[in-house]
Amino acid sequence: MSWQTYIDEHLMCDIDGNHLTAAAILGHDGSVWAQSASFPQFKPEEVQGIMNDFNEPGFLAPTGLFLGSTKYMVIQGEPGAVIRGKKGSGGITIKKTNQALIFGIYEEPLTPGQCNMVVERLGDYLIDQGM
């Protein structure tokens, strides 16, 4: 299965009549494996900051998480495994696998829990596959 299929069929899937605003799968080095058309243009230093937070949980807490120049307030996640961010009525979930970062961005009416479930389920599957 291509990486784009994971985006189109798993991350951007229908969730109770709604879907994520944007999604992507990136390598730990920031290389894009696949992304939705709506995924923001990001800077390499933004991905580096995210990787730093996975390696040193709490790294992003003082400054916030930036992606595509959008600032998210970092909220509870799972140190070294999941970063969650909030901005207004939406937010972001990032799941780290052995080789990739899975991104999901949402806006209401999608809930944070629905975004977490979709992103983390795919991340857990890829971890089980050795990815």
Side-chain angles (χ1 to χ4, degrees):
M1 184 177 335
S2 80
W3 291 111
Q4 193 61 46
T5 305
Y6 284 110
I7 298 290
D8 299 338
E9 294 182 7
H10 297 279
L11 292 173
M12 299 299 287
C13 65
D14 186 277
I15 308 159
D16 298 331
N18 302 299
H19 58 82
L20 295 176
T21 307
I25 302 173
L26 275 57
H28 287 181
D29 61 357
S31 60
V32 176
W33 293 8
Q35 65 183 16
S36 65
S38 53
F39 195 74
Q41 183 66 44
F42 60 89
K43 300 180 182 105
E45 58 268 22
E46 293 172 334
V47 175
Q48 187 57 54
I50 291 164
M51 286 303 296
N52 288 345
D53 196 83
F54 279 120
N55 296 329
E56 302 170 43
F59 178 84
L60 291 174
T63 58
L65 182 161
F66 285 85
L67 187 70
S69 300
T70 298
K71 180 179 179 179
Y72 296 89
M73 180 178 65
V74 178
I75 55 175
Q76 130 276 335
E78 296 169 29
V82 179
I83 298 171
R84 298 184 184 108
K86 185 90 174 115
K87 177 177 174 31
S89 62
I92 188 168
T93 302
I94 308 165
K95 171 77 175 181
K96 181 179 181 225
T97 71
N98 301 332
Q99 299 175 27
L101 299 173
I102 316 295
F103 289 78
I105 300 173
Y106 69 93
E107 288 291 337
E108 285 184 343
L110 208 68
T111 67
Q114 289 171 315
C115 179
N116 296 343
M117 180 188 66
V118 170
V119 171
E120 293 173 37
R121 187 182 289 163
L122 178 59
D124 290 341
Y125 169 77
L126 293 175
I127 290 168
D128 289 346
Q129 300 303 307
M131 298 301 297

